[in-house]
Amino acid sequence: MPFGQLISHAPGRRSGVSVWRQIADTLTTEIRDRTYAATGRLPGEVELSARFAVNRHTLRQAVAALQTEGLIRIEPGRGMFVQHELLDYALSRRTRFSENLLRQGFLPSKQLLTALEMPAPERAARELKLPPGANVLMVETLDEANDAPIGLATAYYPALRFAGLLEMLSQGTRTTDILKHFGVQDYVREQSRITTQMPNDETARLLKQPTSRPLLCVESLDVDMDGTPIKYGETVFCGDRVQLVVNTGIEA
């Protein structure tokens, strides 16, 4: 198939514009149209060279331009990957998922994966200051920005204080509104601990990333305005899609 036909879905052929630039422009359009969103990976050199009917030298000029422009990254031995726009996720006393995304022009959404009552895990019980044998309400969600996964969040709430929370959550009620229903008019982040880890197969599948790419991990504790713990959370973020911004300023 002639080269002109192969890039006919991009703006028309431009006289005086080099072939490698036209290839770069075509791939740029496809990246922005989320053509490669499913895997995040571009076809290999051989496939792209055949598609555009050019030699590898010409193709590599186009690839180099995309890399310089920050649209892709090249991982030796693995291939070429879309370089996602990094989302700044602020960690502060008033950390709020939706607000973090909306202020940057991203559409926030959550998929509810798990919601159940269970005996409190040791770490959750300690952070929530629960007595031995106490139960918690565990809620696991897939956090998304513009319908793309960015994190996997697990939250633990004291079951005794928030009896009925799971039912309200399953009905689509916002977490903030649920907490207000239980008398928590406002809450703040008391602490956040940041570490890294490698994803297991299931986490990588949910986040649509390879198991070889590390995650950013945030353990958090939210308290009401009296300082009583209301939620202990563990969230893993895609390291190539999110950067954590720690706000040390004084907030109201």
Side-chain angles (χ1 to χ4, degrees):
M1 186 179 294
F3 173 70
Q5 290 177 276
L6 286 167
I7 63 170
S8 60
H9 58 284
R13 291 291 298 273
R14 293 159 291 169
S15 60
V17 179
S18 60
V19 172
W20 69 262
R21 183 67 260 177
Q22 294 186 60
I23 296 173
D25 289 347
T26 298
L27 293 174
T28 295
T29 298
E30 293 177 347
I31 289 170
R32 289 175 176 165
D33 287 345
R34 298 178 58 80
T35 301
Y36 309 105
T39 63
R41 184 173 186 169
L42 276 69
E45 276 191 2
V46 173
E47 185 177 343
L48 288 175
S49 295
R51 173 190 171 188
F52 293 113
V54 296
N55 58 42
R56 290 196 183 186
H57 174 73
T58 300
L59 180 67
R60 285 172 182 169
Q61 286 182 287
V63 168
L66 296 179
Q67 189 176 26
T68 299
E69 292 162 13
L71 293 174
I72 67 170
R73 68 178 185 280
I74 299 175
E75 298 184 11
R78 297 193 64 240
M80 297 178 288
F81 295 86
V82 175
Q83 182 63 57
H84 297 277
E85 181 180 1
L86 283 176
L87 184 155
D88 287 343
Y89 196 88
L91 298 177
S92 65
R93 277 181 58 79
R94 306 192 70 80
T95 299
R96 302 290 190 269
F97 171 75
S98 293
E99 291 177 12
N100 264 335
L101 272 61
L102 289 171
R103 72 166 61 100
Q104 297 172 72
F106 293 98
L107 179 65
S109 59
K110 287 177 176 282
Q111 292 187 39
L112 180 62
L113 302 179
T114 309
L116 55 84
E117 183 170 346
M118 60 182 287
E122 181 180 352
R123 185 61 175 268
R126 183 169 65 251
E127 295 291 343
L128 293 172
K129 299 180 181 178
L130 298 176
N135 279 4
V136 290
L137 306 175
M138 189 273 278
V139 178
E140 184 181 44
T141 58
L142 183 64
D143 296 344
E144 301 168 319
N146 294 346
D147 295 324
I150 61 169
L152 188 62
T154 305
Y156 299 92
Y157 300 88
L160 186 61
R161 180 173 183 180
F162 297 108
L165 178 146
L166 298 183
E167 290 73 16
M168 295 178 70
L169 199 61
S170 67
Q171 295 167 7
T173 309
R174 295 191 316 157
T175 302
T176 301
D177 292 334
I178 293 174
L179 293 177
K180 287 182 178 179
H181 171 81
F182 288 102
V184 181
Q185 298 303 314
D186 199 4
Y187 61 96
V188 294
R189 176 68 55 87
E190 182 171 277
Q191 61 184 15
S192 296
R193 300 187 187 94
I194 304 171
T195 56
T196 59
Q197 69 180 47
M198 303 303 293
N200 58 31
D201 291 341
E202 178 62 11
T203 298
R205 183 187 69 80
L206 288 169
L207 294 178
K208 298 181 180 179
Q209 70 161 65
T211 55
S212 59
R213 192 171 302 153
L215 303 170
L216 294 171
C217 313
V218 178
E219 293 181 49
S220 61
L221 180 66
D222 291 342
V223 300
D224 63 20
M225 303 314 289
D226 293 326
T228 302
I230 61 168
K231 184 187 79 171
Y232 168 67
E234 299 171 348
T235 303
V236 291
F237 292 102
C238 300
D240 66 335
R241 302 174 201 172
V242 174
Q243 60 183 1
L244 301 175
V245 180
V246 180
N247 185 346
T248 58
I250 298 175
E251 299 180 48

